Amino acid sequence: MSKRTKDETTAAGKGAMNSDEILVVTSDLAAIGTRGGGPQPLKVEELAVNVNLFIQQMSKVLESTPVSLGKFHFEEFEIHAEINADGTIAVLGSGVHAGVGGGLRFLFRRRAASNE
């Protein structure tokens, strides 16, 4: 009889999961209470691709932001995003209320100006 680790035992109760997958709990109202609701496995590689794509897209936005706005200096840009069941990353827009404090938080800081 093989001995299971704590992680394998926990994962076994929620369906097959391995080091190549991560569980994502979505706030998709259509999925709640249905057979497809609850934690969904997501391939780590797929999530990595989507995170990198999201960061590249945000880079285009950040490159065009000014260093200062009037009397204010712009140092940080914070973005909150959610992951849906298929791994797509989306910025939380106005009127969206996250029921759970999950999701991803990206904090971009400007580099200090070098004196070169």
Side-chain angles (χ1 to χ4, degrees), residues 47-48 50-56 58 62 76-83 89-92 103-109:
L47 180 58
N50 289 338
V51 167
N52 285 320
L53 175 62
F54 182 80
I55 289 171
Q56 289 172 7
M58 291 313 305
L62 296 173
E76 292 182 346
F77 194 80
E78 185 172 328
I79 301 166
H80 294 264
E82 277 195 355
I83 307 168
I89 298 175
V91 174
L92 293 176
L104 300 173
R105 175 181 171 248
F106 295 90
L107 181 62
F108 299 91
R109 289 193 179 119

Side-chain angles (χ1 to χ4, degrees), residues 64-103:
S64 64
T65 60
V67 174
S68 61
L69 297 168
K71 295 180 181 180
F72 298 95
H73 184 71
F74 185 66
E75 292 184 26
E76 292 182 346
F77 194 80
E78 185 172 328
I79 301 166
H80 294 264
E82 277 195 355
I83 307 168
N84 68 15
D86 67 358
T88 302
I89 298 175
V91 174
L92 293 176
S94 63
V96 176
H97 301 284
V100 179

Side-chain angles (χ1 to χ4, degrees), residues 22-42 47 81-90 92 96-104:
I22 188 169
L23 291 177
V24 176
V25 178
T26 66
S27 60
D28 182 5
L29 295 177
I32 294 174
T34 65
R35 294 172 94 165
Q40 302 292 319
L42 176 64
L47 180 58
E82 277 195 355
I83 307 168
N84 68 15
D86 67 358
T88 302
I89 298 175
L92 293 176
V96 176
H97 301 284
V100 179
L104 300 173

